[in-house]
Amino acid sequence: MQSRIRVAGALICSLAAVHLLIFEMPSFYDNYVVRSSSFSFNDDDDDVMAQVLTDSANLDPNWSTSTTRQFSKAQNASLGSLELLSYLEATNMTFCPLTPPSLVGPIRVFLDEPQLNVLAKMFKHIERGGHGKPTNCLARHKVAIIVPYRDRESQLRILLHNLHTLLEKQQMEYGIFIIEQVADQTFNRGKLMNVGYAEASKMFPWQCYIFHDVDLLPEDDRNLYSCPVQPRHMSVAIDKFNYRLPYSSIFGGISALRDDQVKAINGFSNSFWGWGGEDDDLSQRTSRAGFKVSRYPGEIARYKMVKHSREDTNSANKCRWKLLKKTGIRWRHDGLNDLKYRVLSIEQQPLFTRILVDLLEQESKKALRKFFPDC
């Protein structure tokens, strides 16, 4: 009798182990959040970000994909999770796996500079405007990539080559937005990020936004460009810094936030004209809004920085320290709710959407000098 009980117990344990390997292990990577060198599990990651049926009533017609049109009836009905699963079964559609099946880890970084027409032929299945999505499953994340830009065409071509290759493997639905500042103005990275968020959100119901410098290239495809539970610092280990985090509160280079998180922190500051400060301000407002910056391990979140010389029009911001001291007072009214700019053109090119913008530098600085006379 006891031997039968032992055999039955062993059989139950074996079945439980098989269940764990088949159903649970693939989702391990997608469900952890890293802070410094430790990690913890988040059971709600997929529940938070698998909301594919979002409001599509005001979509730009140029961004209406076949998936969006097919789901319009379901979206208007505001289906719950069970109804959504039934709908997907009825239409023979399935979500992409929690862990993309083609990930290999360290990947080749492309440093060649193909012309834009050559890149367009390489990625001819990408919709105009740089809108990509999986062809054999429904993406779990809808991500807008916001890239502040001016006078770095070679770096842009390198970035497009690497990003489109990576995001296809990761089975994301995504759009790439190049936010270009007019010449003869002091570069303002934070304000360009805000413009990118404001304009991209008009075109498609993106779930999250990744704010991405043009000179950073991912080195590992497990560094998922997905929607985070907590705001995520993507560029943890950069070759320029010997693949080490320069300091614990850094939130620059590449940052990922859900749509509600961008709104909660009031986006970036509009006040940092010139190099430096806006990323540390972003870190402060993220913390003050009650969020914690998450990170993947350094061996995964690795980036190569394309070498370049600093532009004369992007000199160091001499007021950055004064502004940072006042972040706690200013962050609620210096950001998305105080954003003023003028769009000069919007072009949907084969692999990205280009938005040329006047940041109204003189008008903005005049308002800033009321509080900071030396800025």
Side-chain angles (χ1 to χ4, degrees), residues 132-177:
K133 62 181 186 296
T135 58
N136 58 352
C137 59
L138 182 65
R140 293 177 177 270
H141 306 268
K142 296 182 179 180
V143 187
I145 313 295
I146 309 297
V147 183
Y149 172 83
R150 186 173 62 185
D151 297 333
R152 293 191 186 179
E153 183 182 335
S154 62
Q155 291 185 10
L156 174 59
R157 288 186 268 121
I158 295 172
L159 178 68
L160 290 171
H161 190 184
N162 284 272
L163 272 190
H164 280 295
T165 302
L166 175 73
L167 294 170
E168 285 185 341
K169 291 180 63 178
Q170 294 187 352
Q171 297 181 319
M172 303 296 171
E173 180 166 6
Y174 66 92
I176 296 180
F177 296 85

Side-chain angles (χ1 to χ4, degrees), residues 309-326:
S309 57
R310 183 174 297 174
E311 301 92 336
D312 294 335
T313 54
N314 191 24
S315 57
N317 183 348
K318 297 179 181 180
C319 289
R320 62 187 185 275
W321 305 118
K322 295 179 182 179
L323 292 169
L324 285 170
K325 289 180 180 179
K326 300 296 183 180

Side-chain angles (χ1 to χ4, degrees), residues 108-122:
R108 176 186 175 187
V109 176
F110 300 103
L111 292 174
D112 53 338
E113 304 172 12
Q115 295 299 314
L116 291 177
N117 61 336
V118 175
L119 284 170
K121 292 179 181 178
M122 293 172 59

Side-chain angles (χ1 to χ4, degrees), residues 237-250:
I238 302 176
D239 62 344
K240 179 180 178 180
F241 305 118
N242 296 318
Y243 296 106
R244 295 180 180 178
L245 200 66
Y247 52 95
S248 60
S249 63
I250 190 171

Side-chain angles (χ1 to χ4, degrees), residues 34-55:
V34 178
R35 298 186 182 91
S36 300
S37 60
S38 61
F39 65 86
S40 58
F41 291 91
N42 289 282
D43 297 330
D44 60 345
D45 185 56
D46 193 53
D47 293 334
V48 171
M49 295 320 309
Q51 309 255 342
V52 294
L53 297 186
T54 52
D55 182 16

Side-chain angles (χ1 to χ4, degrees), residues 54-336:
T54 52
D55 182 16
S56 64
N58 298 316
L59 292 186
D60 186 300
N62 292 322
W63 285 79
S64 296
T65 65
S66 58
T67 300
T68 301
R69 289 192 294 271
Q70 185 174 3
F71 272 38
S72 61
K73 181 177 180 181
Q75 286 174 321
N76 293 334
S78 299
L79 297 182
S81 57
L82 293 178
E83 291 86 351
L84 172 58
L85 292 175
S86 299
Y87 181 83
L88 293 175
E89 291 177 358
T91 54
N92 295 319
M93 297 188 69
T94 58
F95 285 117
C96 297
L98 282 170
T99 302
S102 300
L103 304 185
V104 297
I107 55 176
R108 176 186 175 187
V109 176
F110 300 103
L111 292 174
D112 53 338
E113 304 172 12
Q115 295 299 314
L116 291 177
N117 61 336
V118 175
L119 284 170
K121 292 179 181 178
M122 293 172 59
F123 301 100
K124 57 185 177 181
H125 51 285
I126 300 296
E127 294 183 16
R128 195 166 188 84
H131 192 175
K133 62 181 186 296
T135 58
N136 58 352
C137 59
L138 182 65
R140 293 177 177 270
H141 306 268
K142 296 182 179 180
V143 187
I145 313 295
I146 309 297
V147 183
Y149 172 83
R150 186 173 62 185
D151 297 333
R152 293 191 186 179
E153 183 182 335
S154 62
Q155 291 185 10
L156 174 59
R157 288 186 268 121
I158 295 172
L159 178 68
L160 290 171
H161 190 184
N162 284 272
L163 272 190
H164 280 295
T165 302
L166 175 73
L167 294 170
E168 285 185 341
K169 291 180 63 178
Q170 294 187 352
Q171 297 181 319
M172 303 296 171
E173 180 166 6
Y174 66 92
I176 296 180
F177 296 85
I178 307 302
I179 317 303
E180 183 173 356
Q181 184 175 345
V182 295
D184 302 323
Q185 284 187 353
T186 307
F187 196 70
N188 189 325
R189 178 179 178 270
K191 194 169 185 178
L192 286 172
M193 297 296 198
N194 284 341
V195 172
Y197 170 82
E199 292 299 318
S201 63
K202 298 175 184 177
M203 300 181 186
F204 197 77
W206 304 110
Q207 296 170 316
C208 57
Y209 296 79
I210 295 182
F211 301 96
H212 204 299
D213 282 354
V214 71
D215 57 356
L216 292 177
L217 309 175
E219 297 185 17
D220 196 301
D221 60 14
R222 296 170 296 174
N223 188 9
L224 297 180
Y225 277 54
S226 57
C227 298
V229 174
Q230 291 286 344
R232 181 186 301 149
H233 182 218
M234 303 284 291
S235 49
V236 176
I238 302 176
D239 62 344
K240 179 180 178 180
F241 305 118
N242 296 318
Y243 296 106
R244 295 180 180 178
L245 200 66
Y247 52 95
S248 60
S249 63
I250 190 171
F251 202 17
I254 306 173
S255 51
L257 299 96
R258 298 199 314 265
D259 180 70
D260 62 299
Q261 293 167 346
V262 178
K263 293 174 180 175
I265 68 172
N266 197 22
F268 287 72
S269 168
N270 298 313
S271 302
F272 287 82
W273 296 92
W275 178 85
E278 82 290 332
D279 49 353
D280 292 320
D281 178 272
L282 178 69
S283 178
Q284 283 196 47
R285 58 180 61 209
T286 298
S287 176
R288 291 178 181 277
F291 300 114
K292 295 182 179 179
V293 174
S294 62
R295 294 185 175 96
Y296 285 141
E299 59 269 23
I300 291 176
R302 293 168 63 92
Y303 284 84
K304 180 177 292 294
M305 178 178 287
V306 182
K307 294 181 180 180
H308 61 86
S309 57
R310 183 174 297 174
E311 301 92 336
D312 294 335
T313 54
N314 191 24
S315 57
N317 183 348
K318 297 179 181 180
C319 289
R320 62 187 185 275
W321 305 118
K322 295 179 182 179
L323 292 169
L324 285 170
K325 289 180 180 179
K326 300 296 183 180
T327 296
I329 300 173
R330 294 175 50 81
W331 74 276
R332 294 185 184 275
H333 56 84
D334 172 20
L336 293 175

